[in-house]
Each structure stands twice: as structure tokens, then as C-alpha cells.
């Protein structure tokens, strides 16, 4: 699942403050993206 955000860096900071392991942000041809997983191992992509 991909989730669009207007402020990727702020959302990454909020997730990390809540104890979520976030990989990225990585520069892509269309913008930046980061990935994380929920406690069940489902993966998510944040893109901004």
C-alpha cells in the first residue's frame, strides 16, 4: 500500500517517535519515498 503525504520528513519523524522502524527516505525519479511495516509485517510506502 502506498500512502501519499505532503510532508514526508515530518511523517517519518512522527513514525520514528512512535517506535516504528522506517527505511528511507530515498530519492526516486518521481520524488522521495520511505518504507515501514506494521506489527503484522504488512509493508507500507510513504511517498511525497
Amino acid at each position: 500500500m502506498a500512502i501519499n503525504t505532503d510532508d514526508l520528513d515530518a511523517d517519518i519523524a512522527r513514525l520514528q517517535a512512535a517506535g516504528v522502524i522506517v527505511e528511507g527516505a530515498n530519492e526516486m525519479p518521481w520524488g522521495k519515498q520511505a518504507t515501514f511495516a506494521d506489527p503484522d509485517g504488512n509493508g507500507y510506502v510513504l511517498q511525497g
Side-chain angles (χ1 to χ4, degrees):
M1 172 183 283
I3 303 166
N4 291 320
T5 178
D6 292 329
D7 193 342
L8 182 65
D9 295 325
D11 289 334
I12 290 171
R14 281 188 208 102
L15 287 167
Q16 290 174 329
V20 177
I21 298 170
V22 180
E23 295 187 25
N26 300 310
E27 291 289 335
M28 306 304 264
W30 57 87
K32 291 175 23 178
Q33 75 176 28
T35 59
F36 66 96
D38 67 19
D40 293 324
N42 299 303
Y44 298 90
V45 177
L46 273 178
Q47 51 189 41

